Amino acid sequence: MDGIHEGHRARMKKKLLENGERSLADHELLEVLLYYAIPRRDTNELAHRLLKQFGSLRGVLSAPVQELACVSGVGQQAALLLGMVPMLCRRAAQREKEQILNSVDACGAYFTELLGSSRREMLWQVCLDGKGKVLSSRCLAEGDVSMAAVSVRQVVEYALRAGAVGVVLAHNHPSGIALPSDDDCAATTRAAQALQTIGVALADHIIVADDDFVSMAQSGYLTSWEHL
């Protein structure tokens, strides 16, 4: 890397450290982040390219790693770095405070925050104690997923390991609407029946699309919260 680029990077880092993230535009923040995966090229043009491709900073950081890697000049290492940012944020948000999911609204808010901005399909299982406190939370599948593809045995084993009294499942429809398919309904019923054999309630299955969600319990597919 020549002295001009090296000096520019040093100035950008100093500006960020001294004045905070508000002192930099979106493309500049992205440019600085890319320094740590692309050490010997100008990342300013690449930052602009990513923002144009995905529409916004949020779009870039919620894009699947595979799509990021296909953008000219990004590569696998930079794509993984960008993909890890939302992963770390989700993990930190989950552990920042004790989560109580004892109502449909609480579950909807939890999973809308977790999945609403993701452009990649994900299926999550949350295990709860008797008061609705989150004992553990795990992504069961990611990518081209559906509830029908989930191993019921996997759901049951995870609930047993966590010592769960209740379980909430959730998945997202990144480019659709928050309504369950016939396969979702059938697979959810199988999971509820399997969990019942070990004394664990499937409290809800939340389906998220952008900022909207549907509760399968509230919609009549599962026992309502009031009867748990």
Side-chain angles (χ1 to χ4, degrees), residues 5 9-10 57 74 96 125 137 152 156 158 181 188 191 208 213:
H5 286 156
R9 288 191 174 200
L57 187 58
V74 175
E96 187 174 306
Q125 176 177 344
S137 178
V152 171
V156 170
Y158 186 40
S181 66
T188 301
V208 175
F213 75 91

Side-chain angles (χ1 to χ4, degrees), residues 81-199:
L81 176 66
L82 293 171
M84 284 187 66
V85 173
M87 293 179 196
L88 291 170
C89 289
R90 286 195 295 267
R91 180 67 61 86
Q94 290 165 21
R95 298 186 176 177
E96 187 174 306
K97 61 182 180 179
E98 182 178 284
Q99 294 279 352
I100 302 294
L101 304 184
N102 58 0
S103 70
V104 169
D105 287 343
C107 281
Y110 179 87
F111 285 111
T112 298
E113 181 178 355
L114 182 67
L115 301 173
S117 64
S118 176
R119 297 181 61 218
R120 190 167 177 79
E121 294 178 28
M122 292 187 285
L123 177 67
W124 282 76
Q125 176 177 344
V126 170
C127 294
L128 309 173
D129 69 7
K131 295 182 178 179
K133 177 184 174 182
V134 174
L135 299 173
S136 59
S137 178
R138 185 179 71 166
C139 182
L140 295 175
E142 186 173 355
D144 185 15
V145 303
S146 70
M147 188 58 203
V150 175
S151 165
V152 171
R153 179 178 177 180
Q154 184 182 14
V155 172
V156 170
E157 288 179 349
Y158 186 40
L160 283 170
R161 286 200 302 270
V165 171
V167 162
V168 179
L169 297 172
H171 74 277
N172 60 322
H173 293 169
S175 58
I177 56 175
L179 290 175
S181 66
D182 290 341
D183 285 342
D184 289 336
C185 296
T188 301
T189 298
R190 290 197 298 271
Q193 292 170 344
L195 287 167
Q196 189 176 33
T197 64
I198 60 168

